[in-house]
Amino acid sequence: PDMAKEAVDKALTDARLGYASVQQAVCGYVYGDSTCGQRALYQIGLTGIPVVNVNNNCSTGSTALYLAAELVRGGRAACVLALGFEKMQRGSLGQTFSDRASPLERHVEVLAERHGLEAAPIAAQMFGAAGREHMKMYGTTPEHFAKIAAKNHRHSANNPNSQFTDVYSVQEILSSQPIYAPLTKLQCCPTSDGAAAAVLASEEFVLRHGLQAQAVELLAVEMATDLPSVFNDKSAIKMVGYDMTSRAAQAVYAKTGLRPDQFQVVELHDCFSANELLTYEALGLCPPGKAGELVDRGDNTYGGKFVVNPSGGLISKGHPLGATGLAQCTELCWQLRGLAGPRQVPGCRRALQHNIGLGGAVVVAAYQLGFPEAAVTAASVAGVSAGDSKDEFQSAKIFRIIGQGLETEGEQIVKKVNGVFAFKVTGGPGGKVGLWLVDCKNGRGKVEFNGQGKADVTITISDQDLVQLMLGKLNPQQAFFSGKLKMQGNMGLAMKLREFQSRVGELKAKL
């Protein structure tokens, strides 16, 4: 529940929305009892909305995304929350129930008939066998798989959300503990706990709420499942989902009119390094049999044709099954908005997602900025354009005075308050919504318009009411109970608003 709450709070803060705006929710997890999604969301709020729980093996997170998108596109809801979370048992994936048919028993039969079974984790055997087939068919080498793992570990060093951030050489990866040839331990995703969330909304909802600045458009999201070839062709490559990945990818390209080479960044399902290599071909990033050459050219990392898994991928970022697909979505949104920090892909305009679950299901999605002209990227937040628009708000003067106070008395205020406030100011000129981040927690504190940091408490109030509140003309309790003032997060911290109100005399003089 704590992980889920953190993910949802961050997603809602990023979207500049309260939980009351969410009309339906889709929650994904693999290991848990029924209605875990409700348990995770009830701590956010009890609003009575429909909550649907989904389980689609390792593609569970993207399945939640897919269903949320279908609800919006079908007109069933204008704003839907997709949440994925997982708390996993130690060790490799295994069968939970032994008294009923396994969903993977026919897949295992293909593996046994084609490659036999060994004393190794079954998932590693499946994807490792597919890697062996590729080596035999196209001359791929163990070094190609190790290079992919080294690339992902290297990328993860710049991701503060990654489970691991260690960097390894190709030789260190090849020399690590053998799991199932050609796979070694450092080419396999770890056991992980985690959560991720995304808010999906219709274009009309985005426009009505003035959210164009951060809106990312989901151009297409397609799901496919196993085809007859997965069992009939006796191929480990097809058994682990090559054909259904290709089918979903082609559906995305057909729907968007885009080619694979028109995407700059890709987050794909590298549960094992072998699967990343296979997926290059299934997605059409290169022709069949040419993935090894793509790796050798460096066309899967910075400076190459694509940047694949800038987050570090499942191998290094981690793979909490229910959360993975939504973590991929999060990374791609950050990349498109220019907010990925040291791992930012230069010139990122379009992004591609791939998330697969054996048994089987695959989701492929395409993204781009919804309103590029309005997008608030890291550069524009610091630039003149964002600064100009904030001055249209009456409350901009309030935040300027608070900022001046932090400049002169920042250390004392930070010591008293010790928290970060996000002020979502509604009812600006033309119905605009502004977001001010007031950091009274770090250093001497600071005030940012459209700041991207994490807030401890989010306060939603109209432009006019905020001025009245700070001037002492609006009672905070009355404003709260009448619905004029909404607070989410650390309520105790919200009570420290009086530290800002203590400057009422100064505010009156300046306003």
Side-chain angles (χ1 to χ4, degrees), residues 19-20 22-25 38 41-42 45-52 81:
Y19 185 57
V22 175
Q23 298 167 0
Q24 295 197 39
Q38 282 87 334
L41 286 177
Y42 282 177
L46 289 160
T47 57
I49 61 170
V51 177
V52 178
L81 175 71

Side-chain angles (χ1 to χ4, degrees), residues 172-180 182-188:
E172 286 175 319
I173 288 168
L174 288 170
S175 302
S176 63
Q177 178 187 344
I179 301 298
Y180 180 91
L183 301 175
T184 62
K185 183 176 180 178
L186 292 175
Q187 298 177 65
C188 305

Side-chain angles (χ1 to χ4, degrees), residues 164-437:
F164 299 110
T165 55
D166 296 322
V167 177
Y168 301 93
S169 68
V170 170
Q171 189 53 50
E172 286 175 319
I173 288 168
L174 288 170
S175 302
S176 63
Q177 178 187 344
I179 301 298
Y180 180 91
L183 301 175
T184 62
K185 183 176 180 178
L186 292 175
Q187 298 177 65
C188 305
C189 64
T191 299
S192 313
D193 296 342
V199 178
L200 289 87
S202 67
E203 183 174 1
E204 185 276 332
F205 182 97
V206 169
L207 294 171
R208 178 158 41 93
H209 289 79
L211 302 175
Q212 298 95 311
Q214 70 263 41
V216 172
E217 183 178 4
L218 190 55
L219 292 169
V221 54
E222 296 291 329
M223 179 185 287
T225 56
D226 285 323
L227 300 163
S229 58
V230 77
F231 304 122
N232 296 341
D233 292 2
K234 308 300 180 184
S235 162
I237 290 176
K238 295 185 177 183
M239 179 261 294
V240 297
Y242 184 99
D243 285 354
M244 63 176 173
T245 289
S246 180
R247 182 186 184 93
Q250 292 305 316
V252 166
Y253 302 146
K255 182 168 285 188
T256 61
L258 296 171
R259 305 182 309 273
D261 61 4
Q262 292 178 287
F263 294 88
Q264 292 77 45
V265 62
V266 183
E267 280 284 315
L268 62 77
H269 196 95
D270 62 314
C271 49
F272 301 92
S273 59
N275 196 49
E276 177 163 331
L277 184 140
L278 297 171
T279 304
Y280 295 160
E281 299 176 8
L283 291 176
L285 306 186
C286 65
K290 300 297 184 180
E293 296 177 18
L294 182 149
V295 172
D296 289 336
R297 289 194 305 269
D299 274 343
N300 57 356
T301 188
Y302 297 87
K305 190 174 182 180
F306 310 97
V307 179
V308 180
N309 290 332
S311 67
L314 283 58
I315 285 175
S316 203
K317 178 183 61 181
H319 183 25
L321 308 190
T324 289
L326 287 162
Q328 292 177 325
C329 169
T330 301
E331 175 69 22
L332 296 177
C333 287
W334 283 335
Q335 290 286 346
L336 287 163
R337 290 162 61 188
L339 301 175
R343 65 184 186 283
Q344 180 63 50
V345 176
C348 180
R349 300 181 308 281
R350 297 189 186 94
L352 190 66
Q353 175 188 4
H354 163 267
N355 186 205
I356 198 168
L358 291 181
V362 64
V363 175
V364 177
Y367 303 78
Q368 70 178 15
L369 285 176
F371 303 88
E373 68 285 353
V376 179
T377 63
S380 65
V381 167
V384 176
S385 60
D388 289 344
S389 62
K390 71 181 179 185
D391 292 332
E392 299 173 2
F393 289 82
Q394 297 179 46
S395 50
K397 297 175 184 177
I398 298 280
F399 293 107
R400 272 203 299 275
I401 294 169
I402 292 172
Q404 291 167 5
L406 288 171
E407 288 176 7
T408 57
E409 304 173 46
E411 291 180 3
Q412 296 94 317
I413 295 174
V414 166
K415 189 174 181 180
K416 285 182 182 179
V417 177
N418 190 32
V420 180
F421 295 79
F423 288 87
K424 180 183 176 184
V425 181
T426 62
K432 289 182 181 178
V433 178
L435 180 71
W436 276 266
L437 208 67

Side-chain angles (χ1 to χ4, degrees), residues 54 76 95 143 352:
V54 298
R76 301 293 298 176
Q95 189 171 338
E143 284 74 16
L352 190 66

Side-chain angles (χ1 to χ4, degrees), residues 106-117 122 125 239:
R106 293 189 64 193
H107 298 73
V108 174
E109 287 174 4
V110 172
L111 172 67
E113 183 177 340
R114 189 82 168 80
H115 296 273
L117 295 177
I122 194 65
Q125 290 190 64
M239 179 261 294

